[in-house]
Amino acid sequence: MGMDPDAVAKAFVDHYYSTFDANRSGLANLYQDNSMLTFEGQKIQGSQNIVAKLTSLPFQQCQHSVSTVDCQPSGPSGGVLVFVSGNLQLAGEQHALKFSQMFHLMPTPQGSFYVLNDIFRLNYA
């Protein structure tokens, strides 16, 4: 009985960005101590440090709109690789920023997933 990676990826992406846009500190339970975020080239390890970084970003409000979600099953333990591209609209800014983000999701014993690896980049024209 395998999980459908596409369904996992879609559900995760919907949850991640709606949580990010509404309440960034709510993302803490998606990461664990061994999780790593690379944000614009800066590596950050552990759930607490990752959420500290995300909540300290220099904008209060933002709106992600996802353009594409690609995913692949990853490894024997049931992980899922998720690659996202889309637009990031910051409050008060005229133009949206393009972004790409890659997540490596790993299953938890409870039957959900957590983010082991997260790489985020803005795509400057």
PDB file of all heavy atoms in Angstrom, residues 23-58:
ATOM      1  N   ASN A  23       0.218  32.456   8.820  1.00  0.00           N
ATOM      2  CA  ASN A  23       0.856  32.413  10.136  1.00  0.00           C
ATOM      3  C   ASN A  23       2.126  31.584  10.045  1.00  0.00           C
ATOM      4  O   ASN A  23       2.105  30.374  10.258  1.00  0.00           O
ATOM      5  CB  ASN A  23      -0.127  31.782  11.144  1.00  0.00           C
ATOM      6  CG  ASN A  23       0.554  31.464  12.460  1.00  0.00           C
ATOM      7  OD1 ASN A  23       1.489  32.156  12.858  1.00  0.00           O
ATOM      8  ND2 ASN A  23       0.099  30.416  13.119  1.00  0.00           N
ATOM      9  N   ARG A  24       3.234  32.271   9.725  1.00  0.00           N
ATOM     10  CA  ARG A  24       4.490  31.555   9.463  1.00  0.00           C
ATOM     11  C   ARG A  24       4.952  30.672  10.613  1.00  0.00           C
ATOM     12  O   ARG A  24       5.532  29.618  10.391  1.00  0.00           O
ATOM     13  CB  ARG A  24       5.603  32.550   9.137  1.00  0.00           C
ATOM     14  CG  ARG A  24       5.714  32.833   7.662  1.00  0.00           C
ATOM     15  CD  ARG A  24       6.687  33.942   7.394  1.00  0.00           C
ATOM     16  NE  ARG A  24       5.958  35.178   7.149  1.00  0.00           N
ATOM     17  CZ  ARG A  24       6.511  36.362   6.998  1.00  0.00           C
ATOM     18  NH1 ARG A  24       7.814  36.502   7.083  1.00  0.00           N
ATOM     19  NH2 ARG A  24       5.779  37.417   6.769  1.00  0.00           N
ATOM     20  N   SER A  25       4.702  31.103  11.860  1.00  0.00           N
ATOM     21  CA  SER A  25       5.183  30.289  12.992  1.00  0.00           C
ATOM     22  C   SER A  25       4.465  28.948  13.044  1.00  0.00           C
ATOM     23  O   SER A  25       4.964  27.990  13.645  1.00  0.00           O
ATOM     24  CB  SER A  25       5.029  31.045  14.309  1.00  0.00           C
ATOM     25  OG  SER A  25       3.693  31.464  14.471  1.00  0.00           O
ATOM     26  N   GLY A  26       3.308  28.844  12.371  1.00  0.00           N
ATOM     27  CA  GLY A  26       2.578  27.584  12.296  1.00  0.00           C
ATOM     28  C   GLY A  26       3.276  26.525  11.465  1.00  0.00           C
ATOM     29  O   GLY A  26       2.843  25.363  11.439  1.00  0.00           O
ATOM     30  N   LEU A  27       4.372  26.892  10.785  1.00  0.00           N
ATOM     31  CA  LEU A  27       5.112  25.918   9.980  1.00  0.00           C
ATOM     32  C   LEU A  27       6.025  25.042  10.835  1.00  0.00           C
ATOM     33  O   LEU A  27       6.570  24.057  10.339  1.00  0.00           O
ATOM     34  CB  LEU A  27       5.966  26.641   8.923  1.00  0.00           C
ATOM     35  CG  LEU A  27       5.185  27.431   7.863  1.00  0.00           C
ATOM     36  CD1 LEU A  27       6.140  28.291   7.044  1.00  0.00           C
ATOM     37  CD2 LEU A  27       4.398  26.483   6.963  1.00  0.00           C
ATOM     38  N   ALA A  28       6.191  25.377  12.111  1.00  0.00           N
ATOM     39  CA  ALA A  28       7.173  24.681  12.962  1.00  0.00           C
ATOM     40  C   ALA A  28       6.980  23.172  12.966  1.00  0.00           C
ATOM     41  O   ALA A  28       7.951  22.413  12.924  1.00  0.00           O
ATOM     42  CB  ALA A  28       7.112  25.224  14.385  1.00  0.00           C
ATOM     43  N   ASN A  29       5.720  22.729  12.985  1.00  0.00           N
ATOM     44  CA  ASN A  29       5.493  21.280  13.099  1.00  0.00           C
ATOM     45  C   ASN A  29       5.725  20.529  11.792  1.00  0.00           C
ATOM     46  O   ASN A  29       5.624  19.312  11.759  1.00  0.00           O
ATOM     47  CB  ASN A  29       4.093  20.982  13.667  1.00  0.00           C
ATOM     48  CG  ASN A  29       2.996  21.528  12.782  1.00  0.00           C
ATOM     49  OD1 ASN A  29       3.277  22.128  11.742  1.00  0.00           O
ATOM     50  ND2 ASN A  29       1.753  21.344  13.184  1.00  0.00           N
ATOM     51  N   LEU A  30       6.045  21.269  10.713  1.00  0.00           N
ATOM     52  CA  LEU A  30       6.379  20.600   9.455  1.00  0.00           C
ATOM     53  C   LEU A  30       7.861  20.261   9.361  1.00  0.00           C
ATOM     54  O   LEU A  30       8.279  19.548   8.456  1.00  0.00           O
ATOM     55  CB  LEU A  30       5.990  21.485   8.262  1.00  0.00           C
ATOM     56  CG  LEU A  30       4.496  21.733   8.088  1.00  0.00           C
ATOM     57  CD1 LEU A  30       4.260  22.660   6.909  1.00  0.00           C
ATOM     58  CD2 LEU A  30       3.747  20.423   7.894  1.00  0.00           C
ATOM     59  N   TYR A  31       8.663  20.808  10.279  1.00  0.00           N
ATOM     60  CA  TYR A  31      10.104  20.565  10.285  1.00  0.00           C
ATOM     61  C   TYR A  31      10.484  19.803  11.553  1.00  0.00           C
ATOM     62  O   TYR A  31       9.758  19.836  12.541  1.00  0.00           O
ATOM     63  CB  TYR A  31      10.877  21.890  10.246  1.00  0.00           C
ATOM     64  CG  TYR A  31      10.644  22.712   8.992  1.00  0.00           C
ATOM     65  CD1 TYR A  31       9.685  23.720   8.969  1.00  0.00           C
ATOM     66  CD2 TYR A  31      11.389  22.494   7.838  1.00  0.00           C
ATOM     67  CE1 TYR A  31       9.483  24.488   7.825  1.00  0.00           C
ATOM     68  CE2 TYR A  31      11.189  23.255   6.694  1.00  0.00           C
ATOM     69  CZ  TYR A  31      10.235  24.254   6.699  1.00  0.00           C
ATOM     70  OH  TYR A  31      10.030  25.004   5.572  1.00  0.00           O
ATOM     71  N   GLN A  32      11.643  19.147  11.517  1.00  0.00           N
ATOM     72  CA  GLN A  32      12.160  18.470  12.703  1.00  0.00           C
ATOM     73  C   GLN A  32      13.596  18.940  12.961  1.00  0.00           C
ATOM     74  O   GLN A  32      14.129  19.781  12.230  1.00  0.00           O
ATOM     75  CB  GLN A  32      12.085  16.943  12.534  1.00  0.00           C
ATOM     76  CG  GLN A  32      10.635  16.442  12.475  1.00  0.00           C
ATOM     77  CD  GLN A  32      10.521  14.934  12.469  1.00  0.00           C
ATOM     78  OE1 GLN A  32      11.496  14.203  12.587  1.00  0.00           O
ATOM     79  NE2 GLN A  32       9.290  14.455  12.325  1.00  0.00           N
ATOM     80  N   ASP A  33      14.229  18.383  14.003  1.00  0.00           N
ATOM     81  CA  ASP A  33      15.573  18.841  14.377  1.00  0.00           C
ATOM     82  C   ASP A  33      16.605  18.579  13.286  1.00  0.00           C
ATOM     83  O   ASP A  33      17.599  19.288  13.180  1.00  0.00           O
ATOM     84  CB  ASP A  33      16.031  18.171  15.680  1.00  0.00           C
ATOM     85  CG  ASP A  33      15.264  18.708  16.886  1.00  0.00           C
ATOM     86  OD1 ASP A  33      14.637  19.788  16.771  1.00  0.00           O
ATOM     87  OD2 ASP A  33      15.277  18.050  17.941  1.00  0.00           O
ATOM     88  N   ASN A  34      16.366  17.531  12.480  1.00  0.00           N
ATOM     89  CA  ASN A  34      17.341  17.204  11.422  1.00  0.00           C
ATOM     90  C   ASN A  34      17.003  17.885  10.098  1.00  0.00           C
ATOM     91  O   ASN A  34      17.678  17.665   9.097  1.00  0.00           O
ATOM     92  CB  ASN A  34      17.446  15.685  11.230  1.00  0.00           C
ATOM     93  CG  ASN A  34      16.139  15.069  10.746  1.00  0.00           C
ATOM     94  OD1 ASN A  34      15.055  15.644  10.931  1.00  0.00           O
ATOM     95  ND2 ASN A  34      16.218  13.897  10.142  1.00  0.00           N
ATOM     96  N   SER A  35      15.950  18.696  10.081  1.00  0.00           N
ATOM     97  CA  SER A  35      15.549  19.375   8.850  1.00  0.00           C
ATOM     98  C   SER A  35      16.550  20.470   8.494  1.00  0.00           C
ATOM     99  O   SER A  35      17.144  21.090   9.381  1.00  0.00           O
ATOM    100  CB  SER A  35      14.167  20.011   9.019  1.00  0.00           C
ATOM    101  OG  SER A  35      13.193  19.033   9.315  1.00  0.00           O
ATOM    102  N   MET A  36      16.715  20.704   7.194  1.00  0.00           N
ATOM    103  CA  MET A  36      17.571  21.803   6.746  1.00  0.00           C
ATOM    104  C   MET A  36      16.855  22.642   5.708  1.00  0.00           C
ATOM    105  O   MET A  36      16.214  22.120   4.798  1.00  0.00           O
ATOM    106  CB  MET A  36      18.892  21.293   6.172  1.00  0.00           C
ATOM    107  CG  MET A  36      19.823  22.435   5.762  1.00  0.00           C
ATOM    108  SD  MET A  36      21.458  21.880   5.231  1.00  0.00           S
ATOM    109  CE  MET A  36      22.278  21.769   6.812  1.00  0.00           C
ATOM    110  N   LEU A  37      16.967  23.968   5.888  1.00  0.00           N
ATOM    111  CA  LEU A  37      16.471  24.940   4.921  1.00  0.00           C
ATOM    112  C   LEU A  37      17.670  25.652   4.310  1.00  0.00           C
ATOM    113  O   LEU A  37      18.558  26.097   5.041  1.00  0.00           O
ATOM    114  CB  LEU A  37      15.584  25.975   5.630  1.00  0.00           C
ATOM    115  CG  LEU A  37      15.262  27.265   4.844  1.00  0.00           C
ATOM    116  CD1 LEU A  37      14.385  26.991   3.634  1.00  0.00           C
ATOM    117  CD2 LEU A  37      14.589  28.284   5.768  1.00  0.00           C
ATOM    118  N   THR A  38      17.711  25.734   2.985  1.00  0.00           N
ATOM    119  CA  THR A  38      18.649  26.639   2.323  1.00  0.00           C
ATOM    120  C   THR A  38      17.808  27.753   1.726  1.00  0.00           C
ATOM    121  O   THR A  38      17.008  27.524   0.814  1.00  0.00           O
ATOM    122  CB  THR A  38      19.468  25.937   1.234  1.00  0.00           C
ATOM    123  OG1 THR A  38      20.176  24.846   1.825  1.00  0.00           O
ATOM    124  CG2 THR A  38      20.473  26.897   0.607  1.00  0.00           C
ATOM    125  N   PHE A  39      17.940  28.954   2.290  1.00  0.00           N
ATOM    126  CA  PHE A  39      17.138  30.104   1.879  1.00  0.00           C
ATOM    127  C   PHE A  39      18.059  31.105   1.205  1.00  0.00           C
ATOM    128  O   PHE A  39      18.911  31.706   1.855  1.00  0.00           O
ATOM    129  CB  PHE A  39      16.448  30.738   3.093  1.00  0.00           C
ATOM    130  CG  PHE A  39      15.449  31.803   2.726  1.00  0.00           C
ATOM    131  CD1 PHE A  39      14.118  31.470   2.500  1.00  0.00           C
ATOM    132  CD2 PHE A  39      15.838  33.121   2.586  1.00  0.00           C
ATOM    133  CE1 PHE A  39      13.193  32.440   2.146  1.00  0.00           C
ATOM    134  CE2 PHE A  39      14.921  34.102   2.233  1.00  0.00           C
ATOM    135  CZ  PHE A  39      13.597  33.761   2.016  1.00  0.00           C
ATOM    136  N   GLU A  40      17.930  31.236  -0.125  1.00  0.00           N
ATOM    137  CA  GLU A  40      18.789  32.154  -0.864  1.00  0.00           C
ATOM    138  C   GLU A  40      20.261  31.900  -0.543  1.00  0.00           C
ATOM    139  O   GLU A  40      21.034  32.835  -0.318  1.00  0.00           O
ATOM    140  CB  GLU A  40      18.415  33.615  -0.544  1.00  0.00           C
ATOM    141  CG  GLU A  40      17.058  34.030  -1.101  1.00  0.00           C
ATOM    142  CD  GLU A  40      17.083  34.213  -2.617  1.00  0.00           C
ATOM    143  OE1 GLU A  40      17.744  35.121  -3.116  1.00  0.00           O
ATOM    144  OE2 GLU A  40      16.442  33.418  -3.311  1.00  0.00           O
ATOM    145  N   GLY A  41      20.644  30.631  -0.456  1.00  0.00           N
ATOM    146  CA  GLY A  41      22.039  30.256  -0.256  1.00  0.00           C
ATOM    147  C   GLY A  41      22.464  30.097   1.194  1.00  0.00           C
ATOM    148  O   GLY A  41      23.554  29.596   1.466  1.00  0.00           O
ATOM    149  N   GLN A  42      21.626  30.508   2.148  1.00  0.00           N
ATOM    150  CA  GLN A  42      21.964  30.395   3.568  1.00  0.00           C
ATOM    151  C   GLN A  42      21.374  29.105   4.139  1.00  0.00           C
ATOM    152  O   GLN A  42      20.175  28.871   4.054  1.00  0.00           O
ATOM    153  CB  GLN A  42      21.409  31.598   4.341  1.00  0.00           C
ATOM    154  CG  GLN A  42      21.714  31.554   5.826  1.00  0.00           C
ATOM    155  CD  GLN A  42      20.939  32.602   6.628  1.00  0.00           C
ATOM    156  OE1 GLN A  42      20.096  33.315   6.095  1.00  0.00           O
ATOM    157  NE2 GLN A  42      21.213  32.664   7.918  1.00  0.00           N
ATOM    158  N   LYS A  43      22.248  28.261   4.726  1.00  0.00           N
ATOM    159  CA  LYS A  43      21.786  26.981   5.284  1.00  0.00           C
ATOM    160  C   LYS A  43      21.397  27.149   6.748  1.00  0.00           C
ATOM    161  O   LYS A  43      22.147  27.714   7.539  1.00  0.00           O
ATOM    162  CB  LYS A  43      22.895  25.925   5.185  1.00  0.00           C
ATOM    163  CG  LYS A  43      23.192  25.471   3.774  1.00  0.00           C
ATOM    164  CD  LYS A  43      24.210  24.323   3.787  1.00  0.00           C
ATOM    165  CE  LYS A  43      24.481  23.782   2.405  1.00  0.00           C
ATOM    166  NZ  LYS A  43      25.209  24.744   1.561  1.00  0.00           N
ATOM    167  N   ILE A  44      20.228  26.618   7.098  1.00  0.00           N
ATOM    168  CA  ILE A  44      19.701  26.729   8.460  1.00  0.00           C
ATOM    169  C   ILE A  44      19.193  25.354   8.874  1.00  0.00           C
ATOM    170  O   ILE A  44      18.434  24.722   8.132  1.00  0.00           O
ATOM    171  CB  ILE A  44      18.547  27.757   8.506  1.00  0.00           C
ATOM    172  CG1 ILE A  44      19.064  29.132   8.050  1.00  0.00           C
ATOM    173  CG2 ILE A  44      17.943  27.848   9.890  1.00  0.00           C
ATOM    174  CD1 ILE A  44      18.050  29.949   7.347  1.00  0.00           C
ATOM    175  N   GLN A  45      19.616  24.885  10.049  1.00  0.00           N
ATOM    176  CA  GLN A  45      19.272  23.530  10.488  1.00  0.00           C
ATOM    177  C   GLN A  45      18.341  23.577  11.693  1.00  0.00           C
ATOM    178  O   GLN A  45      18.526  24.367  12.617  1.00  0.00           O
ATOM    179  CB  GLN A  45      20.551  22.781  10.877  1.00  0.00           C
ATOM    180  CG  GLN A  45      20.271  21.371  11.402  1.00  0.00           C
ATOM    181  CD  GLN A  45      20.807  20.289  10.503  1.00  0.00           C
ATOM    182  OE1 GLN A  45      21.835  20.458   9.857  1.00  0.00           O
ATOM    183  NE2 GLN A  45      20.113  19.167  10.460  1.00  0.00           N
ATOM    184  N   GLY A  46      17.348  22.701  11.689  1.00  0.00           N
ATOM    185  CA  GLY A  46      16.484  22.505  12.848  1.00  0.00           C
ATOM    186  C   GLY A  46      15.222  23.345  12.796  1.00  0.00           C
ATOM    187  O   GLY A  46      15.229  24.497  12.366  1.00  0.00           O
ATOM    188  N   SER A  47      14.130  22.755  13.259  1.00  0.00           N
ATOM    189  CA  SER A  47      12.814  23.382  13.181  1.00  0.00           C
ATOM    190  C   SER A  47      12.791  24.784  13.785  1.00  0.00           C
ATOM    191  O   SER A  47      12.296  25.732  13.165  1.00  0.00           O
ATOM    192  CB  SER A  47      11.788  22.493  13.898  1.00  0.00           C
ATOM    193  OG  SER A  47      10.527  23.102  13.900  1.00  0.00           O
ATOM    194  N   GLN A  48      13.348  24.932  14.985  1.00  0.00           N
ATOM    195  CA  GLN A  48      13.303  26.237  15.663  1.00  0.00           C
ATOM    196  C   GLN A  48      14.028  27.314  14.871  1.00  0.00           C
ATOM    197  O   GLN A  48      13.528  28.432  14.701  1.00  0.00           O
ATOM    198  CB  GLN A  48      13.944  26.119  17.046  1.00  0.00           C
ATOM    199  CG  GLN A  48      12.960  26.219  18.183  1.00  0.00           C
ATOM    200  CD  GLN A  48      13.676  26.131  19.531  1.00  0.00           C
ATOM    201  OE1 GLN A  48      14.559  25.299  19.732  1.00  0.00           O
ATOM    202  NE2 GLN A  48      13.294  26.986  20.441  1.00  0.00           N
ATOM    203  N   ASN A  49      15.228  26.983  14.387  1.00  0.00           N
ATOM    204  CA  ASN A  49      16.027  27.951  13.637  1.00  0.00           C
ATOM    205  C   ASN A  49      15.379  28.298  12.303  1.00  0.00           C
ATOM    206  O   ASN A  49      15.429  29.442  11.855  1.00  0.00           O
ATOM    207  CB  ASN A  49      17.439  27.413  13.398  1.00  0.00           C
ATOM    208  CG  ASN A  49      18.207  27.222  14.689  1.00  0.00           C
ATOM    209  OD1 ASN A  49      17.988  27.944  15.658  1.00  0.00           O
ATOM    210  ND2 ASN A  49      19.099  26.249  14.713  1.00  0.00           N
ATOM    211  N   ILE A  50      14.773  27.294  11.666  1.00  0.00           N
ATOM    212  CA  ILE A  50      14.106  27.514  10.377  1.00  0.00           C
ATOM    213  C   ILE A  50      12.937  28.478  10.553  1.00  0.00           C
ATOM    214  O   ILE A  50      12.780  29.446   9.808  1.00  0.00           O
ATOM    215  CB  ILE A  50      13.650  26.172   9.763  1.00  0.00           C
ATOM    216  CG1 ILE A  50      14.878  25.377   9.303  1.00  0.00           C
ATOM    217  CG2 ILE A  50      12.681  26.407   8.604  1.00  0.00           C
ATOM    218  CD1 ILE A  50      14.576  23.942   8.899  1.00  0.00           C
ATOM    219  N   VAL A  51      12.114  28.227  11.578  1.00  0.00           N
ATOM    220  CA  VAL A  51      10.948  29.093  11.788  1.00  0.00           C
ATOM    221  C   VAL A  51      11.393  30.490  12.214  1.00  0.00           C
ATOM    222  O   VAL A  51      10.794  31.495  11.804  1.00  0.00           O
ATOM    223  CB  VAL A  51       9.974  28.461  12.807  1.00  0.00           C
ATOM    224  CG1 VAL A  51       8.898  29.444  13.219  1.00  0.00           C
ATOM    225  CG2 VAL A  51       9.332  27.225  12.179  1.00  0.00           C
ATOM    226  N   ALA A  52      12.482  30.579  12.997  1.00  0.00           N
ATOM    227  CA  ALA A  52      13.018  31.897  13.363  1.00  0.00           C
ATOM    228  C   ALA A  52      13.405  32.672  12.110  1.00  0.00           C
ATOM    229  O   ALA A  52      13.147  33.875  11.998  1.00  0.00           O
ATOM    230  CB  ALA A  52      14.209  31.734  14.305  1.00  0.00           C
ATOM    231  N   LYS A  53      14.026  31.993  11.157  1.00  0.00           N
ATOM    232  CA  LYS A  53      14.407  32.630   9.889  1.00  0.00           C
ATOM    233  C   LYS A  53      13.169  33.089   9.123  1.00  0.00           C
ATOM    234  O   LYS A  53      13.084  34.234   8.666  1.00  0.00           O
ATOM    235  CB  LYS A  53      15.236  31.659   9.036  1.00  0.00           C
ATOM    236  CG  LYS A  53      15.530  32.146   7.629  1.00  0.00           C
ATOM    237  CD  LYS A  53      16.414  33.373   7.627  1.00  0.00           C
ATOM    238  CE  LYS A  53      16.715  33.860   6.213  1.00  0.00           C
ATOM    239  NZ  LYS A  53      17.567  35.058   6.242  1.00  0.00           N
ATOM    240  N   LEU A  54      12.196  32.192   8.969  1.00  0.00           N
ATOM    241  CA  LEU A  54      11.016  32.517   8.165  1.00  0.00           C
ATOM    242  C   LEU A  54      10.196  33.647   8.785  1.00  0.00           C
ATOM    243  O   LEU A  54       9.653  34.492   8.069  1.00  0.00           O
ATOM    244  CB  LEU A  54      10.148  31.270   7.968  1.00  0.00           C
ATOM    245  CG  LEU A  54      10.795  30.138   7.156  1.00  0.00           C
ATOM    246  CD1 LEU A  54       9.860  28.940   7.082  1.00  0.00           C
ATOM    247  CD2 LEU A  54      11.203  30.606   5.769  1.00  0.00           C
ATOM    248  N   THR A  55      10.113  33.673  10.116  1.00  0.00           N
ATOM    249  CA  THR A  55       9.317  34.726  10.754  1.00  0.00           C
ATOM    250  C   THR A  55      10.070  36.051  10.789  1.00  0.00           C
ATOM    251  O   THR A  55       9.455  37.098  10.987  1.00  0.00           O
ATOM    252  CB  THR A  55       8.898  34.325  12.187  1.00  0.00           C
ATOM    253  OG1 THR A  55      10.059  33.930  12.917  1.00  0.00           O
ATOM    254  CG2 THR A  55       7.894  33.193  12.171  1.00  0.00           C
ATOM    255  N   SER A  56      11.391  36.020  10.571  1.00  0.00           N
ATOM    256  CA  SER A  56      12.168  37.269  10.597  1.00  0.00           C
ATOM    257  C   SER A  56      12.316  37.894   9.218  1.00  0.00           C
ATOM    258  O   SER A  56      12.991  38.918   9.077  1.00  0.00           O
ATOM    259  CB  SER A  56      13.567  36.999  11.167  1.00  0.00           C
ATOM    260  OG  SER A  56      14.359  36.305  10.219  1.00  0.00           O
ATOM    261  N   LEU A  57      11.738  37.290   8.197  1.00  0.00           N
ATOM    262  CA  LEU A  57      11.843  37.863   6.847  1.00  0.00           C
ATOM    263  C   LEU A  57      11.231  39.265   6.831  1.00  0.00           C
ATOM    264  O   LEU A  57      10.259  39.528   7.535  1.00  0.00           O
ATOM    265  CB  LEU A  57      11.146  36.960   5.826  1.00  0.00           C
ATOM    266  CG  LEU A  57      11.818  35.599   5.616  1.00  0.00           C
ATOM    267  CD1 LEU A  57      10.975  34.734   4.705  1.00  0.00           C
ATOM    268  CD2 LEU A  57      13.223  35.764   5.062  1.00  0.00           C
ATOM    269  N   PRO A  58      11.807  40.177   6.035  1.00  0.00           N
ATOM    270  CA  PRO A  58      11.465  41.590   6.153  1.00  0.00           C
ATOM    271  C   PRO A  58      10.154  41.981   5.462  1.00  0.00           C
ATOM    272  O   PRO A  58      10.062  43.017   4.830  1.00  0.00           O
ATOM    273  CB  PRO A  58      12.657  42.284   5.471  1.00  0.00           C
ATOM    274  CG  PRO A  58      13.098  41.304   4.449  1.00  0.00           C
ATOM    275  CD  PRO A  58      12.884  39.946   5.064  1.00  0.00           C
TER     276      PRO A  58
END
